[in-house]
């Protein structure tokens, strides 16, 4: 599968996304979407438990999407890949965590999720850290390191990641809304949620940021003062002016595609809903 390499990431066309390895192996579009979103949730949860910042979570989620753009969900378990991406992201963001800590965080989470699903009744010692000399720990460690080698090979060691968050802040400051804390929080939340979709392997970070700001302004309970510039219809029905996102090289179709992808996340994986 071909790819376009930039300094921050690599990107796939919509046709390539539709013909992903998972789809070729019979995984439906909905299942693929849900499983990758689930993997991103695991990375986010691990970042909190490992006490690293949000940059690690975003980098790990991006790495997960990159990996599954090249490899199939049927061949690589999403929980194992999530653990690997979290471990690698910690190193990339210069907040390294021990292999033992990453393994214990994901193992404990797995035990709890099985219990919540009614598939097991965990005993107290099941929630204790794994014995680093035990067989279970050794198998998980070997699997994590093996998956990391697979991932780095698929990435071609192109592991630089750029996130949309800094662009969100820059855009809002540019249009004199940098001090609007509610709008900033709303746009920031959309940027975080966008990491659970495949936008990071379809669009640049600065383009995703435009969609996040657009969604934030559209869902803001209060009108913006001053409003962000958009096309308007004159008295003669002619369209005048330009949309603000066109200043950053984003056309209407791209903006709509990005917004639809984020909104689809809320429909298919609602907060607090079943996984």
């Amino acid at each position: 599968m071909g790819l376009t390499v930039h300094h921050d990431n690599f990107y796939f066309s919509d046709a390539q996304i539709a013909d992903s390895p998972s789809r070729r192996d019979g995984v439906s579009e909905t299942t693929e979407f849900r499983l990758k979103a689930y993997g991103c949730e695991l990375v986010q949860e691990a970042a909190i438990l490992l006490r690293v910042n949000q940059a690690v979570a975003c980098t790990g989620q991006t790495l997960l999407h990159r990996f599954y753009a090249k490899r199939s969900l049927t061949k690589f378990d999403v929980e194992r890949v999530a653990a690997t991406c979290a471990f690698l992201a910690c190193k990339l963001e210069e907040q390294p965590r021990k292999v033992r800590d990453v393994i214990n965080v994901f193992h404990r989470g797995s035990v709890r999720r099985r219990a919540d699903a009614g598939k097991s009744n965990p005993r107290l010692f099941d929630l204790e850290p794994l014995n680093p000399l035990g067989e279970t720990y050794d198998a998980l460690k070997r699997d994590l390191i093996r998956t990391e080698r697979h991932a780095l090979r698929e990435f071609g060691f192109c592991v630089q990641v750029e996130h949309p968050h800094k662009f969100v802040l820059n855009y809002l400051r540019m249009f004199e809304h940098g001090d609007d804390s509610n709008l900033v929080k709303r746009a920031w939340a959309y940027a975080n949620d966008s990491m659970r979709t495949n936008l990071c392997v379809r669009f640049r970070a600065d383009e995703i940021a435009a969609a996040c700001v657009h969604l934030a302004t559209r869902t803001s309970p209060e009108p913006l003062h001053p409003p962000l510039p958009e096309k308007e219809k004159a008295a003669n029905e002619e369209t005048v002016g330009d949309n603000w996102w066109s200043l950053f090289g984003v056309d209407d179709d791209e903006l709509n595609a990005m917004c639809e992808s984020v909104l689809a996340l809320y429909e298919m994986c609602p907060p607090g809903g079943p996984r």
Side-chain angles (χ1 to χ4, degrees), residues 170-216:
N170 289 340
Y171 293 168
L172 290 175
R173 289 170 184 156
M174 184 180 300
F175 293 110
E176 301 179 6
H177 289 289
D179 295 329
D180 187 338
S181 60
N182 289 329
L183 185 63
V184 171
K185 289 178 181 177
R186 190 179 294 271
W188 192 272
Y190 281 123
N192 284 336
D193 290 342
S194 73
M195 306 307 299
R196 294 164 62 196
T197 73
N198 62 10
L199 291 182
C200 58
V201 293
R202 296 168 57 200
F203 299 96
R204 300 191 313 270
D206 57 301
E207 296 172 326
I208 298 171
C212 296
V213 171
H214 181 66
L215 285 169

Side-chain angles (χ1 to χ4, degrees), residues 218-231:
R218 283 290 190 266
T219 57
S220 176
E222 301 293 335
L224 300 184
H225 300 288
L228 274 62
E230 295 187 20
K231 291 179 180 178

Side-chain angles (χ1 to χ4, degrees), residues 21 41 60 107-108 160 169 173 200:
E41 287 181 15
H107 173 72
R108 181 166 181 158
Q160 291 181 330
L169 297 178
R173 289 170 184 156
C200 58

